[in-house]
Amino acid sequence: MAVDGLFASAALFFTGLLSGFWLERLRGASQQPRVKRKEGKKLPKQNGSYKMVLVVNSQLKMGKGKIAAQCCHAAVGVVDEYKGKSEHRHAFSYWSANGQPKIALQTNELAAIHKAVRKTGLPHYLVCDAGKTQIPAGSQTVLAIGPGLVEELDELTGSLRLL
């Protein structure tokens, strides 16, 4: 019986030790930068926080999975289209270095928001569905805006409801 008790105590000790080790590693990992940069590479001075906004067309009555897929298309589309352009390079750098924050909003007025965004010069990407599943081909599903300064994006989308 003494051997079983000793074994149980040792097992409990090592379980606690390993749990503490991994909890500390996880806590420490969350405090480290999310993006590793090459030595000597510096970003220009930051003048605010950046985010991306995904505006979903709530008139279409898409399912949750369809909305998720369309938001992914929009986020990837705006990055593919604008990331290499020199006038937006710093916005993408700061946005990437700070966790790539995104917010999903909904509206019944997607066309009006798209028109307003085009006037600003902010990166944006409008997804038009292929029509293979839930909604008709050519339907405007999601508008990705940014990354851009939080203040600029809030001027355009601050009145919209969260998805």
Side-chain angles (χ1 to χ4, degrees):
M1 199 65 170
V3 173
D4 287 341
L6 182 61
F7 179 75
S9 295
L12 187 59
F13 171 77
F14 284 111
T15 302
L17 183 67
L18 287 173
S19 297
F21 171 78
W22 284 110
L23 285 172
E24 182 61 27
R25 294 250 340 199
L26 290 172
R27 188 178 70 81
S30 68
Q31 295 173 352
Q32 296 176 3
R34 294 176 186 238
V35 176
K36 292 182 181 177
R37 292 191 197 92
K38 293 179 183 175
E39 285 297 318
K41 184 177 178 184
K42 293 186 178 182
L43 295 172
K45 185 178 177 188
Q46 183 177 1
N47 57 355
S49 296
Y50 289 82
K51 70 178 178 181
M52 179 184 290
V53 176
L54 303 167
V55 184
V56 176
N57 186 349
S58 57
Q59 289 181 326
L60 296 176
K61 308 297 182 212
M62 296 179 282
K64 292 175 186 174
K66 182 70 169 178
I67 291 171
Q70 297 299 299
C71 285
C72 291
H73 290 318
V76 170
V78 75
V79 169
D80 282 349
E81 191 166 323
Y82 287 92
K83 187 173 184 177
K85 296 185 178 180
S86 61
E87 65 269 21
H88 300 292
R89 193 167 291 135
H90 72 282
F92 278 95
S93 296
Y94 282 116
W95 178 70
S96 293
N98 290 290
Q100 302 173 343
K102 297 166 208 68
I103 186 167
L105 305 172
Q106 58 183 320
T107 186
N108 289 327
E109 304 293 330
L110 191 63
I113 294 170
H114 185 226
K115 184 177 179 179
V117 169
R118 286 193 312 233
K119 293 177 183 177
T120 66
L122 285 167
H124 62 281
Y125 186 86
L126 180 63
V127 177
C128 295
D129 194 66
K132 296 180 181 178
T133 56
Q134 298 177 7
I135 55 177
S139 298
Q140 297 177 345
T141 58
V142 177
L143 174 64
I145 310 168
L149 287 169
V150 169
E151 295 79 18
E152 291 178 341
L153 295 175
D154 286 349
E155 284 181 30
L156 293 166
T157 62
S159 63
L160 302 179
R161 292 185 323 140
L162 289 172
L163 180 64

